[in-house]
Amino acid sequence: MEMFNTKPCFEFRRGKCSYGKKCKFSHESKPSSNTPQKEICPYLRTSKGCFRGQQCNFSHETVAGHGANTQSPQSTAEAPPRLEIETSFRDWTFLIPRQNTLFRVVETGKFFKLAWDLISKEDTETGQRVIKKLATEEGLAMIKTLIDENVDGVELETRLRCFKERTLPFFRTISHPDILSSLILEVPLDTICTFLFGPNGCRAINLFKSTTSALGALAWDEEAKDEELTSIAVTASLAVLERIVELNQSAQVIPEFTTIVNDISTAIPGQYLQTGSRSLARVRQRLGVGNLMPVSGDHLVGRKSHQPVFEVVQDLPGALSELGPRHDNDHADIFDIKILPTTQEIQSLRLEYLPLSDPTKHHVPGLAGLLDRQFRLLREDTVGQLRDAVQTECKRLSKPVNAQPQPRRQNNGVGKFIYQNVVLLRLEFDRKRGLQVVAEFDQPPAVAQKGVKEREQWWTNTKQLQIDALVCFVAPTGRNIFFSVCDPTPTPPSRGGYGGEVLEARLARYRSASDKRPSLFKNANRATLMLSLVEDDSEDITWINDHLGNAHKLQQSLVEFPGILLASFQPTLQALQKMSRTLDLPFAQFIAPDTQYAGNVDVPPPAYSRKPGFSFNLETLVGGKQLRLTPGQPFDSTTLREKSTLDDMQQLSTINALRSSLALIQGPPGTGKSYTGVAIIRALLRNRAAAKLGPIICVCYTNHALDQLLEHLVKDGVKQLIRLGSRSKSEILQNFNLRYISKEFSSTKVEGYEKSQLYESLNIALDEIEVLMADLRKPGCWDNIKNYLEEYHNGHFKQLCGPGVDEQGFQEVRGKKSNVLHNWINGAPKRISSSRPVPELLRNNLKEMSHSERLALHRYWVQQITRELTLRFLHVLDSYRHTNDTLKKCHRELDLRCLIRAQVIGVTTTGLARNLDILRRAQAKVVVFEEAGEVLEAHTLTALLPSVEHAILIGDHEQLRPQINNYEFQHDNPRGAKFSLDISLFERLVHPQPGYPRLPYSSLEVQRRMYPSIAELVRSTLYPKLQDHSSVSTHPEVDGMRKRLFWLDHNKREDASPFNTAQSFSKTNTWEVEMTAALVSHLVRQGIYRNEDIAVLTPYLGQLQMLKQRLRSSFAIVVGDRDLEDLETNGLDGESEEDMTATQSKVHKTTLLNALRIASVDNFQGEEAKVIVISLVRSNDERKCGFLKTSNRINVLLSRARHGMYIIGNTDTARPVPMWDKVITMLEKKGNIGNALALCCPRHKETEIQVSEPDDFSVLSPEGGYVDMLVSTSVILSRCMMPLGVWSAAKGSNRGVTILAQSFVETRAI
């Protein structure tokens, strides 16, 4: 009988099914009721109509048929320019000969000239259509005709005319910046360039031989000399050659390409090569041709050896190791290394290869060696700690169950949470998030006895397993798979393109999935959550599918790494891998030179500023007065000194920054680094159009610093500004976020059509995935077995599916229906007891098999079905991912258009790495780094986009270095100095290693923050040239305090560390917490300082948490985002529900500007406060100073205060540190150190009030000031001795004043 299958044929829907009516799947189309309406053809109502006829992708139905407005074309409001462009595009397409057209003259000159005319109008949609048309078969035929015209033997004059009229317009068309940067045109442009390369590069060789001779003739033709045309021609030709060579690696082994490059370099004068120098350098690099433009300067001391150096015995990576590769993820080329550790890597006991800071010890030289080192060390610093944590859990699970220790939180590495008895329940697929896995595990012991609401509250408060959390599934069999936690709420189905029944079925499945979504708290014993694979590895997916369900319940674990997000390190590592292939880092001759240097080098001006006739207009720096700077020429700074608001060193730094392509500016604390940076950016913006700079990219390490910088620019009138990232706290910048701005742009018709096609492909893939997943859940069902036998074992199919068998596999026998498959398995004759292998059974009759043989054959069928379904499933998954990635590019095309049109793009280092692909296309020539000394070199390198010609790094290497996780890589650690991962690129260029060039840098010298006595602490130790601005001497004294600078010395010991808790790795000092709280309360009660004027700093997170808990009872507390993240990561943010409610109510009573700021030292760089209170924490007999033993941290700690600073700490513990010893000595000489803190009444300074214990404040300063009693008939509180705020509140009531005074008398009497 005919078998009818309702499953759709996906090949038919793709238009590729070759079975026709014989296909066993359904060829029914989707109901047309909900089919999306095509856009009306733009040419339909023109005078010539549409020449495509039925092949047109747009609708030819008249709008009248849909009841729409039927105005004639003449009456529409379409703008004439748009109509003109459409007409020009249509005329251009008419120039392409139609197939089978005889005697048609091919007008290549007119064709490519009109193509360039269309592109030069810079209409986005038209540009997209032109390039897509050129990438079609007809367009490529026109390109081949052009190439065939460029042949040897043609006279030079003819060749030059052909180049000008045909080749040059074509080169300009495909090398236009908007075309090269487009995401949606990447594939068609690659198609064109690959076609240009041709078999073994023959087309490109012929074309560029002709082009080289034409360029030489054009450059040396004295009669018709056109310098502008020559520069344009050279730039466009080199841009096309660069793209061709990058796409085709085989060009490296074809000697003709090297000859072409050398001919271009020698045949064309240097002034014309200047504009295309970047493309020429990249082509040389790809072909392995030496650079003809070495670093200027006469300090060369020799070439570095490119041979491996073996003075230090080091186990090299991958195949270079004498012992062979360590595991399957150990490679000599970093491009081949997977970001996350593999199972073999986790199990490996050999140490990883870690390159040293000495470049002569690298296994690859130059820039490649630098990128290799940064990648391996950064990966070890981030991924290495995950690997070690998982390895520990693997060892625990490998032991017998009764011998397994309970998992503990690590304190000497990355924190982790372990969830036990994990079961992977089922696979799910979400149309937005892709493949997902539902996992189940035991509820943690802490919630075992709690109710549903309490469990929900516990999971919320602990912030464990939140969305995007990184986890690793660990099985005792050795399988380790990394997941991220994802939102369990399913994505609603798309309503477009489906009929009523199909849509209703999808909605029903959506409702069912919503009802069954995982929950961490609903079940008292077991928690469930939704996971998404971090890397789509086919082996992992196959393993998961084979181990679903409770049948595979083993001692499996889930390891969570709190506070670690994959997005914080993966994009940077991936960017370094890509850079290792392209080697397109700007300023590589300074950052990673192949030649050793013995001194300073000269840094040339930016390439864009070396163009003839260019000079910087500096009117923004001098209030609108005329002032120009020509790089390489003397500069008269008289007008700048007279009219600028910058001080002398800020002026010099600004001029030097504009003069140097790679500029470094050091700014000690309070010297106006940000102010200088804004002045430089404003000057660059004034010259943006003349220099064709594109957007200026501003990069900061923190969101706070980025917000401050961009707010300054907005207030200075910069409107074309875009901020990337969603973590801005600035209200001013809300409307400048890329997500907000991109909504104002609309897609082109080309993009709309592309999206509709991709959505259709995506829906097809989703439908197929849905069917395959249903089949994978029951591979042994009748439909699967029947289809498998029909295709692969037709004889068995005919035997099993004989006449009378229905679609469900039932057959009616004597009026009763029975299952055919079940009957066959259990219906073996007892006389047959053979046990033949499966290969033999495949050739035998089904009825002549024993029961055991039938079971074995059935198992074989199911295994083969599962294997085939899995392979098909993986194939469709790849198709889905590819289509989805292409769709994302279409959506990001809008973002790219926004960025290209911006004047300034602001982004953090992490945000830049995440958006690197789109920023590389934004054509930015200038990048400005703030906080450059605090940024890892790897992040700085990735931010140096290939298009950058001018980089300005502003920072201070004497302040905080970049933060890393592994102490073994820190420069200040004797064992870590050989790695020095925490040395920024800024510091490395200012203080280079031997053999590296020393770049010139400018230093700011006038500080406007600290009172002179406070500034002296860092001036005498780190900044001998630091000067005080006159304004800082007028800072008022600190009300309520006898001295503005004081160290309260004590010998109260730090708290003992509790065993196996988060606090055991951090440090606390309860006495200092109480003393700090009392001092802050005293300062606030003076009535002069608002909460935001005072900041409390401490080096330890444990102390930060204690201060937070202690002070929030009296103040609204603000803790920075980075400190909160650190507290959560280290498990120090635990709060009861009552505490959280109290804190929230307190915070709601005030704004952030009126809240007391407490922070760790590391997260307060770049900020300041009028009064700083410092808790040093460490106080021990061993005199261990801990975190504050480095001068960088001490520097930040001592340079935050404007009016006053109070240090609470043990001098005996701190003094062994050299910088602390100098600071303590200075304080002792000035009498600013002691074991008692001197308070005072602002009006009676002669009265001594000494406090040395927290309780002294409540006795001697009950309301923040000294109280004098005048005893007469009644007790009167003297107004002059009270804080103004307290007096004002009390003076309206004699009773209130009397009570306050009586309370004080009673206290003193005690």
Side-chain angles (χ1 to χ4, degrees):
M1 62 178 292
E2 182 182 355
M3 299 295 178
F4 177 75
N5 198 327
T6 58
K7 295 179 181 177
C9 176
F10 299 104
E11 294 301 314
F12 172 76
R13 291 175 62 180
R14 294 190 180 100
K16 299 180 181 179
C17 183
S18 59
Y19 288 96
K21 294 182 179 179
K22 295 182 180 180
C23 183
K24 59 187 178 183
F25 297 103
S26 171
H27 280 197
E28 287 188 1
S29 302
K30 293 181 183 179
S32 59
S33 58
N34 285 344
T35 302
Q37 296 293 332
K38 290 184 178 180
E39 292 187 56
I40 301 298
C41 176
Y43 306 132
L44 183 63
R45 292 185 292 179
T46 60
S47 58
K48 294 184 180 180
C50 179
F51 64 91
R52 291 186 178 275
Q54 294 182 353
Q55 295 181 352
C56 183
N57 292 322
F58 298 92
S59 172
H60 282 194
E61 295 183 9
T62 59
V63 292
H66 295 283
N69 191 341
T70 59
Q71 287 183 328
S72 65
Q74 289 79 6
S75 63
T76 62
E78 188 172 19
R82 181 72 240 171
L83 180 61
E84 180 184 340
I85 292 174
E86 292 287 353
T87 304
S88 298
F89 178 77
R90 186 170 66 253
D91 292 343
W92 177 69
T93 58
F94 284 158
L95 294 173
I96 301 177
R98 299 189 183 184
Q99 292 181 353
N100 303 322
T101 301
L102 300 177
F103 312 115
R104 172 82 181 266
V105 177
V106 181
E107 301 178 87
T108 52
K110 186 176 181 181
F111 177 79
F112 288 109
K113 183 179 183 303
L114 187 53
W116 167 242
D117 289 342
L118 289 169
I119 292 292
S120 63
K121 295 181 187 299
E122 297 189 350
D123 179 74
T124 302
E125 182 176 336
T126 304
Q128 292 171 346
R129 294 165 72 184
V130 168
I131 298 301
K132 281 184 170 288
K133 188 65 179 177
L134 284 174
T136 62
E137 187 176 346
E138 299 94 335
L140 295 176
M142 295 295 291
I143 295 172
K144 186 176 186 303
T145 303
L146 169 68
I147 297 171
D148 293 341
E149 292 177 353
N150 288 271
V151 293
D152 291 332
V154 179
E155 293 182 1
L156 182 59
E157 183 179 348
T158 304
R159 190 180 302 175
L160 183 58
R161 186 176 66 255
C162 178
F163 175 77
K164 287 182 178 180
E165 296 176 357
R166 297 171 174 81
T167 307
L168 180 56
F170 170 57
F171 280 176
R172 296 183 74 182
T173 296
I174 63 175
S175 65
H176 190 279
D178 289 348
I179 302 303
L180 290 176
S181 64
S182 174
L183 288 161
I184 200 173
L185 295 180
E186 185 175 24
V187 173
L189 193 58
D190 287 352
T191 300
I192 294 170
C193 291
T194 302
F195 181 80
L196 283 174
F197 185 74
N200 298 318
C202 61
R203 291 198 192 106
I205 292 170
N206 292 334
L207 178 61
F208 278 94
K209 279 184 177 179
S210 175
T211 297
T212 302
S213 61
L215 289 174
L218 191 63
W220 294 103
D221 188 354
E222 294 295 337
E223 295 181 3
K225 196 167 186 179
D226 188 336
E227 293 186 357
E228 183 179 0
L229 177 64
T230 304
S231 295
I232 290 172
V234 171
T235 302
S237 301
L238 288 174
V240 175
L241 180 60
E242 178 193 355
R243 185 86 177 201
I244 291 173
V245 171
E246 282 188 355
L247 279 173
N248 300 275
Q249 293 186 7
S250 59
Q252 300 175 23
V253 296
I254 300 176
E256 286 84 353
F257 281 99
T258 301
T259 303
I260 288 171
V261 171
N262 289 332
D263 289 346
I264 290 175
S265 301
T266 55
I268 301 172
Q271 68 266 29
Y272 298 124
L273 286 174
Q274 192 65 52
T275 54
S277 59
R278 186 175 293 274
S279 293
L280 181 60
R282 288 178 188 160
V283 173
R284 286 181 164 282
Q285 194 174 54
R286 297 292 286 178
L287 297 178
V289 183
N291 193 355
L292 296 182
M293 294 178 289
V295 179
S296 60
D298 54 356
H299 305 285
L300 308 183
V301 297
R303 304 289 296 179
K304 291 183 182 178
S305 172
H306 291 352
Q307 299 298 320
V309 180
F310 297 100
E311 290 88 35
V312 177
V313 178
Q314 193 172 17
D315 191 6
L316 294 175
L320 298 179
S321 171
E322 294 181 357
L323 302 176
R326 297 160 176 79
H327 42 73
D328 60 352
N329 201 28
D330 183 27
H331 303 283
D333 188 346
I334 60 172
F335 192 83
D336 299 326
I337 298 176
K338 291 183 178 180
I339 301 299
L340 290 174
T342 63
T343 297
Q344 282 191 27
E345 183 178 359
I346 291 170
Q347 295 173 346
S348 174
L349 299 179
R350 286 173 61 188
L351 296 177
E352 297 296 317
Y353 166 68
L354 301 174
L356 306 177
S357 59
D358 183 356
T360 63
K361 303 294 192 297
H362 298 169
H363 72 285
V364 284
L367 177 57
L370 174 67
L371 297 173
D372 179 274
R373 173 178 174 269
Q374 291 296 327
F375 175 87
R376 293 183 190 274
L377 292 182
L378 180 60
R379 183 177 182 272
E380 183 66 18
D381 186 59
T382 52
V383 176
Q385 54 182 345
L386 309 183
R387 177 199 63 225
D388 295 343
V390 174
Q391 188 181 73
T392 301
E393 180 62 14
C394 288
K395 291 178 180 177
R396 189 184 73 85
L397 290 179
S398 65
K399 298 178 180 179
V401 177
N402 56 0
Q404 290 179 3
Q406 286 298 311
R408 293 179 176 180
R409 182 186 179 92
Q410 286 185 205
N411 292 321
N412 58 346
V414 63
K416 65 178 182 180
F417 296 117
I418 308 293
Y419 307 96
Q420 302 185 64
N421 297 325
V422 178
V423 175
L424 304 179
L425 293 179
R426 62 183 183 274
L427 289 174
E428 301 279 355
F429 198 89
D430 187 88
R431 63 179 296 108
K432 282 189 177 180
R433 306 182 191 99
L435 187 65
Q436 298 175 315
V437 183
V438 178
E440 182 185 70
F441 56 89
D442 289 344
Q443 287 282 10
V447 296
Q449 306 300 323
K450 297 181 182 291
V452 175
K453 290 291 183 182
E454 292 173 309
R455 285 196 299 272
E456 181 180 9
Q457 191 68 45
W458 186 89
W459 281 107
T460 302
N461 290 348
T462 58
K463 299 179 181 179
Q464 294 177 211
L465 295 178
Q466 290 190 312
I467 294 174
D468 293 332
L470 182 64
V471 298
C472 183
F473 171 81
V474 182
T477 57
R479 177 67 60 171
N480 306 296
I481 305 174
F482 284 90
F483 294 94
S484 62
V485 178
C486 50
D487 189 346
T489 306
T491 302
S494 172
R495 294 178 178 270
Y498 294 101
E501 292 183 5
V502 176
L503 180 59
E504 186 56 40
R506 286 181 172 274
L507 288 172
R509 286 193 290 271
Y510 166 71
R511 288 190 288 269
S512 175
S514 298
D515 294 338
K516 295 189 299 182
R517 63 183 175 182
S519 171
L520 290 170
F521 57 85
K522 287 185 177 179
N523 189 284
N525 299 317
R526 302 280 284 173
T528 54
L529 80 162
M530 189 75 79
L531 300 173
S532 177
L533 283 161
V534 169
E535 295 176 339
D536 295 314
D537 185 275
S538 57
E539 291 186 7
D540 287 341
I541 295 172
T542 303
W543 188 92
I544 291 170
N545 187 62
D546 292 341
H547 292 78
L548 291 174
N550 289 306
H552 301 279
K553 190 172 184 180
L554 301 170
Q555 291 296 314
Q556 300 172 150
S557 298
L558 202 63
V559 183
E560 180 188 8
F561 312 100
I564 296 179
L565 297 178
L566 192 63
S568 65
F569 59 85
Q570 186 184 48
T572 302
L573 291 172
Q574 290 173 337
L576 291 171
Q577 286 179 312
K578 292 178 182 177
M579 291 169 67
S580 72
R581 284 294 170 94
T582 59
L583 295 176
D584 54 2
L585 180 74
F587 320 114
Q589 68 270 35
F590 304 115
I591 296 172
D594 290 328
T595 307
Q596 290 190 334
Y597 293 86
N600 297 332
V601 295
D602 299 325
V603 179
Y608 66 80
S609 71
R610 299 198 295 268
K611 294 179 181 177
F614 177 83
S615 63
F616 285 103
N617 186 334
L618 303 183
E619 63 181 24
T620 59
L621 301 180
V622 289
K625 299 291 182 180
Q626 285 295 319
L627 182 64
R628 288 194 169 270
L629 166 68
T630 302
Q633 299 295 326
F635 175 68
D636 184 1
S637 60
T638 304
T639 304
L640 187 61
R641 286 197 304 271
E642 293 174 353
K643 301 295 183 180
S644 176
T645 58
L646 301 171
D647 64 41
D648 290 346
M649 291 310 299
Q650 289 173 340
Q651 294 171 20
L652 179 61
S653 298
T654 300
I655 298 302
N656 288 341
L658 297 176
R659 280 175 167 168
S660 303
S661 57
L662 181 57
L664 308 172
I665 300 176
Q666 183 200 9
T671 53
K673 292 188 292 293
S674 297
Y675 186 76
T676 306
V678 169
I680 294 171
I681 293 169
R682 290 177 59 205
L684 290 167
L685 288 174
R686 177 62 183 83
N687 297 274
R688 179 173 171 269
K692 298 180 180 179
L693 296 183
I696 297 171
I697 299 180
C698 299
V699 185
C700 295
Y701 178 58
T702 63
N703 282 286
H704 177 75
L706 181 62
D707 284 348
Q708 284 186 326
L709 175 63
L710 298 183
E711 283 179 357
H712 283 308
L713 292 173
V714 171
K715 291 174 182 177
D716 281 346
V718 179
K719 300 301 181 186
Q720 295 291 104
L721 181 148
I722 292 178
R723 191 203 194 281
L724 290 177
S726 58
R727 303 193 65 178
S728 172
K729 298 295 181 66
S730 170
E731 294 183 3
I732 296 176
L733 300 176
Q734 284 182 356
N735 294 342
F736 291 93
N737 192 277
L738 178 61
R739 290 183 181 178
Y740 178 86
I741 294 174
S742 63
K743 293 177 182 177
E744 304 297 320
F745 286 70
S746 56
S747 300
T748 64
K749 290 180 180 178
V750 173
E751 292 163 1
Y753 176 74
E754 190 98 356
K755 288 177 187 176
S756 67
Q757 295 292 99
L758 291 169
Y759 275 121
E760 179 66 20
S761 299
L762 208 59
N763 285 333
I764 293 173
L766 288 168
D767 288 344
E768 192 166 1
I769 286 171
E770 192 173 293
V771 171
L772 288 170
M773 288 186 68
D775 288 343
L776 279 169
R777 293 189 189 103
K778 45 179 182 178
C781 71
W782 171 251
D783 277 348
N784 286 333
I785 288 181
K786 179 187 66 175
N787 293 332
Y788 168 75
L789 292 178
E790 184 179 13
E791 186 167 355
Y792 295 102
H793 305 289
N794 197 256
H796 287 172
F797 169 77
K798 291 179 179 178
Q799 294 174 41
L800 198 62
C801 305
V805 179
D806 62 17
E807 294 180 16
Q808 284 75 40
F810 286 89
Q811 187 176 32
E812 187 172 342
V813 179
R814 298 174 185 174
K816 293 184 178 180
K817 285 191 174 184
S818 58
N819 188 297
V820 173
L821 186 61
H822 183 269
N823 289 345
W824 171 72
I825 293 175
N826 296 296
K830 295 183 178 179
R831 61 181 175 80
I832 303 176
S833 59
S834 55
S835 181
R836 291 164 290 183
V838 169
E840 186 177 341
L841 296 178
L842 294 174
R843 300 189 297 268
N844 288 337
N845 191 304
L846 291 180
K847 296 180 180 179
E848 301 299 324
M849 296 181 188
S850 66
H851 179 67
S852 62
E853 289 175 335
R854 297 184 184 200
L855 287 173
L857 184 60
H858 179 261
R859 280 195 301 271
Y860 172 79
W861 289 345
V862 173
Q863 289 171 358
Q864 293 302 305
I865 290 168
T866 302
R867 178 177 171 276
E868 182 183 346
L869 288 172
T870 301
L871 290 175
R872 285 176 56 194
F873 180 64
L874 293 173
H875 174 74
V876 179
L877 271 182
D878 287 339
S879 174
Y880 164 83
R881 284 193 289 267
H882 174 74
T883 304
N884 202 36
D885 289 343
T886 308
L887 186 59
K888 288 178 180 177
K889 285 185 178 181
C890 283
H891 286 299
R892 298 225 75 182
E893 189 77 17
L894 276 177
D895 294 342
L896 179 59
R897 284 210 290 280
C898 297
L899 294 175
I900 289 176
R901 286 160 176 76
Q903 294 179 354
V904 175
I905 299 172
V907 63
T908 62
T909 52
T910 304
L912 187 142
R914 293 178 184 175
N915 295 277
L916 198 58
D917 187 46
I918 192 172
L919 287 172
R920 289 173 74 96
R921 301 169 182 271
Q923 308 164 28
K925 293 183 180 180
V926 181
V927 60
V928 179
F929 294 86
E930 279 229 0
E931 306 170 307
E934 202 177 352
V935 179
L936 281 168
E937 179 167 353
H939 290 164
T940 308
L941 294 178
T942 56
L944 290 173
L945 308 174
S947 60
V948 168
E949 299 176 6
H950 193 182
I952 302 168
L953 280 64
I954 306 173
D956 183 11
H957 55 281
E958 298 290 359
Q959 296 189 58
L960 288 180
R961 287 193 171 119
Q963 295 184 22
I964 61 176
N965 301 304
N966 195 334
Y967 180 63
E968 297 300 317
F969 293 160
Q970 288 187 13
H971 179 75
D972 290 327
N973 176 10
R975 297 187 304 277
K978 60 185 177 183
F979 300 114
S980 296
L981 180 61
D982 60 339
I983 296 295
S984 64
L985 177 63
F986 181 88
E987 181 174 358
R988 186 165 70 79
L989 294 177
V990 171
H991 293 306
Q993 294 174 271
Y996 274 93
R998 182 184 300 276
L999 270 63
Y1001 69 96
S1002 306
S1003 291
L1004 307 180
E1005 295 180 352
V1006 180
Q1007 69 90 14
R1008 293 169 170 81
R1009 174 188 297 163
M1010 299 165 279
Y1011 190 79
S1013 61
I1014 300 175
E1016 187 61 32
L1017 299 180
V1018 293
R1019 179 169 32 245
S1020 298
T1021 52
L1022 297 172
Y1023 307 106
K1025 294 183 179 180
L1026 187 65
Q1027 304 170 25
D1028 299 323
H1029 191 266
S1030 58
S1031 61
V1032 299
S1033 298
T1034 63
H1035 286 340
E1037 295 181 351
V1038 179
D1039 275 47
M1041 305 299 295
R1042 184 159 297 280
K1043 294 188 176 184
R1044 69 168 74 242
L1045 174 63
F1046 196 81
W1047 182 313
L1048 178 61
D1049 188 19
H1050 70 86
N1051 57 7
K1052 304 298 189 297
R1053 292 295 179 256
E1054 62 196 56
D1055 301 335
S1057 299
F1059 177 71
N1060 193 34
T1061 66
Q1063 285 83 355
S1064 62
F1065 191 56
S1066 189
K1067 301 294 180 183
T1068 59
N1069 189 311
T1070 303
W1071 185 88
E1072 287 192 11
V1073 169
E1074 295 300 322
M1075 197 68 188
T1076 301
L1079 177 56
V1080 169
S1081 298
H1082 169 78
L1083 291 170
V1084 171
R1085 287 171 178 167
Q1086 299 307 305
I1088 301 297
Y1089 299 109
R1090 295 181 298 172
N1091 292 356
E1092 74 274 14
D1093 293 334
I1094 303 172
V1096 178
L1097 303 184
T1098 183
Y1100 288 95
L1101 289 174
Q1103 188 79 344
L1104 179 70
Q1105 175 63 8
M1106 287 187 69
L1107 286 166
K1108 175 185 169 187
Q1109 292 175 338
R1110 174 64 178 83
L1111 290 170
R1112 68 181 171 196
S1113 61
S1114 304
F1115 307 99
I1117 300 299
V1118 168
V1119 180
D1121 290 340
R1122 290 164 63 194
D1123 277 324
L1124 286 174
E1125 291 172 4
D1126 291 343
L1127 287 170
E1128 291 174 13
T1129 301
N1130 289 274
L1132 292 165
D1133 62 331
E1135 294 180 342
S1136 66
E1137 188 175 353
E1138 295 77 7
D1139 289 339
M1140 291 181 66
T1141 304
T1143 302
Q1144 290 168 359
S1145 64
K1146 188 70 179 178
V1147 171
H1148 288 324
K1149 295 177 183 178
T1150 183
T1151 66
L1152 288 180
L1153 292 178
N1154 289 321
L1156 180 68
R1157 176 73 190 270
I1158 60 174
S1160 64
V1161 178
D1162 287 3
N1163 291 331
F1164 204 70
Q1165 178 162 315
E1167 301 189 47
E1168 61 181 39
K1170 289 181 180 178
V1171 181
I1172 295 289
V1173 179
I1174 299 169
S1175 170
L1176 295 181
V1177 182
R1178 299 309 299 269
S1179 178
N1180 51 70
D1181 295 331
E1182 295 80 15
R1183 306 181 76 187
K1184 291 183 178 179
C1185 196
F1187 285 144
L1188 289 179
K1189 64 185 177 183
T1190 63
S1191 61
N1192 303 76
R1193 278 196 176 96
I1194 300 172
N1195 181 17
V1196 174
L1197 190 72
L1198 298 179
S1199 58
R1200 303 301 100 196
R1202 299 184 64 221
H1203 299 175
M1205 179 170 66
Y1206 302 95
I1207 304 171
I1208 303 174
N1210 186 328
T1211 56
D1212 187 57
T1213 300
R1215 197 180 284 274
V1217 178
M1219 184 169 175
W1220 276 130
D1221 184 50
K1222 293 178 183 178
V1223 169
I1224 293 170
T1225 300
M1226 283 188 285
L1227 293 174
E1228 287 175 337
K1229 288 181 180 179
K1230 298 291 185 179
N1232 291 332
I1233 195 167
N1235 55 16
L1237 195 60
L1239 314 181
C1240 75
C1241 170
R1243 294 177 178 84
H1244 293 77
K1245 294 185 178 181
E1246 70 282 356
T1247 306
E1248 289 283 344
I1249 307 177
Q1250 299 284 335
V1251 293
S1252 58
E1253 294 288 341
D1255 291 341
D1256 291 346
F1257 284 90
S1258 60
V1259 175
L1260 301 176
S1261 177
E1263 293 297 333
Y1266 174 70
V1267 179
D1268 185 18
M1269 282 88 54
L1270 299 177
V1271 182
S1272 59
T1273 55
S1274 63
V1275 181
I1276 303 172
L1277 186 62
S1278 173
R1279 173 184 174 181
C1280 73
M1281 298 305 166
M1282 291 187 69
L1284 295 179
V1286 176
W1287 173 262
S1288 300
K1291 69 177 183 178
S1293 169
N1294 289 335
R1295 175 176 172 79
V1297 175
T1298 302
I1299 291 173
L1300 285 173
Q1302 288 175 339
S1303 299
F1304 181 80
V1305 171
E1306 292 168 1
T1307 303
R1308 291 298 296 268
I1310 294 174

